Amino acid sequence: EAQVTQNPRYLITVTGKKLTVTCSQNMNHEYMSWYRQDPGLGLRQIYYSMNVEVTDKGDVPEGYKVSRKEKRNFPLILESPSPNQTSLYFCASSTHRTGVLADTQYFGPGTRLTVL
Amino acid sequence: GDSVTQMEGPVTLSEEAFLTINCTYTATGYPSLFWYVQYPGEGLQLLLKATKADDKGSNKGFEATYRKETTSFHLEKGSVQVSDSAVYFCALSMKTSYDKVIFGPGTSLSVIP
């Protein structure tokens, strides 16, 4: 079954304690992305990756890191989490075909993070 | 910059009522337009899309028409069901160095029996 998986689904942590949220896709997609979802703001892009070893900042990258060592995995790292990073996080993937617009993004189930 | 505006709701309708969720956009160029749906406790999934002016996207009884002259992509359904209760996101995609997707704030829909 084609899917994007994220772990953990729920996480409560304390300020400053490093954490990693994993994301994996089994569709051989080149493009992967992380979003955060906050009430009234919709989804905002944190980081994206167009292929292995190619990553770039989205609209709200401060306080986050990512890596793309393998095509299927795109972990999100919070080196020193703060309460303003409490949010619902989504990983997404899609193909990235040059010259083709409107590739559908496939989303993971979400990770609800609370930073105390 | 590019942006998407949609009615925030929440919207509450009775079963079999007609649904319209308004969406307008601002973009330099010609974006593709999407509606994504998020059911409770789940990630977003594509509901429908349109890639050029006057295209109509449709799926599961929902429809939306890409109106370039009014920069709009309103979502409609003739008869909603309880199972349509979800959050609906309008989005646009611009071809820059990659397919950047910009989402609206989402509209929460509750359908009551």
Side-chain angles (χ1 to χ4, degrees):
Chain A
E1 180 192 352
Q3 60 182 353
V4 178
T5 57
Q6 296 178 227
N7 282 292
R9 294 290 310 277
Y10 303 90
L11 179 60
I12 300 175
T13 189
V14 295
T15 298
K17 185 176 181 182
K18 181 179 178 180
L19 67 91
T20 299
V21 183
T22 65
C23 172
S24 182
Q25 51 92 7
N26 63 1
M27 296 168 277
N28 201 37
H29 284 163
E30 295 87 2
Y31 181 82
M32 297 186 74
S33 181
W34 276 102
Y35 296 90
R36 59 178 289 172
Q37 182 181 12
D38 300 292
L41 296 176
L43 276 76
R44 294 178 293 168
Q45 190 177 52
I46 302 170
Y47 269 95
Y48 65 93
S49 168
M50 288 195 283
N51 216 322
V52 175
E53 302 292 1
V54 181
T55 64
D56 209 344
K57 297 176 181 178
D59 297 318
V60 288
E62 293 77 20
Y64 304 94
K65 286 175 58 178
V66 293
S67 68
R68 188 91 182 273
K69 294 184 171 59
E70 305 164 284
K71 197 171 188 178
R72 63 184 293 128
N73 296 323
F74 190 45
L76 178 70
I77 303 157
L78 285 71
E79 294 268 1
S80 182
S82 62
N84 65 11
Q85 293 178 299
T86 293
S87 187
L88 181 58
Y89 291 86
F90 288 101
C91 180
S93 73
S94 67
T95 57
H96 178 65
R97 296 168 290 175
T98 301
V100 176
L101 197 57
D103 289 333
T104 299
Q105 290 203 59
Y106 295 85
F107 284 81
T111 295
R112 185 165 293 282
L113 171 66
T114 301
V115 183
L116 302 175
Chain B
D2 302 331
S3 65
V4 175
T5 302
Q6 62 180 108
M7 53 191 290
E8 290 199 32
V11 174
T12 302
L13 295 173
S14 297
E15 207 164 20
E16 299 183 2
F18 184 86
L19 168 71
T20 299
I21 300 178
N22 290 335
C23 170
T24 57
Y25 68 89
T26 301
T28 52
Y30 303 100
S32 289
L33 302 173
F34 305 80
W35 278 100
Y36 281 84
V37 59
Q38 183 181 30
Y39 297 105
E42 299 184 10
L44 280 73
Q45 54 186 276
L46 181 68
L47 181 60
L48 53 85
K49 68 182 182 185
T51 59
K52 61 183 186 296
D54 300 324
D55 268 3
K56 177 186 283 188
S58 61
N59 186 25
K60 299 182 181 179
F62 291 89
E63 292 184 340
T65 301
Y66 189 144
R67 300 286 188 202
K68 183 180 166 197
E69 62 278 10
T70 55
T71 62
S72 64
F73 193 54
H74 305 322
L75 182 69
E76 296 181 336
K77 187 175 185 182
S79 175
V80 294
Q81 306 300 313
V82 172
S83 57
D84 294 327
S85 298
V87 180
Y88 293 82
F89 292 90
C90 186
L92 67 82
S93 171
M94 292 299 297
K95 193 70 172 179
T96 57
S97 59
Y98 68 103
D99 290 335
K100 181 174 177 64
V101 182
I102 297 171
F103 289 87
T107 300
S108 176
L109 170 67
S110 293
V111 180
I112 54 177

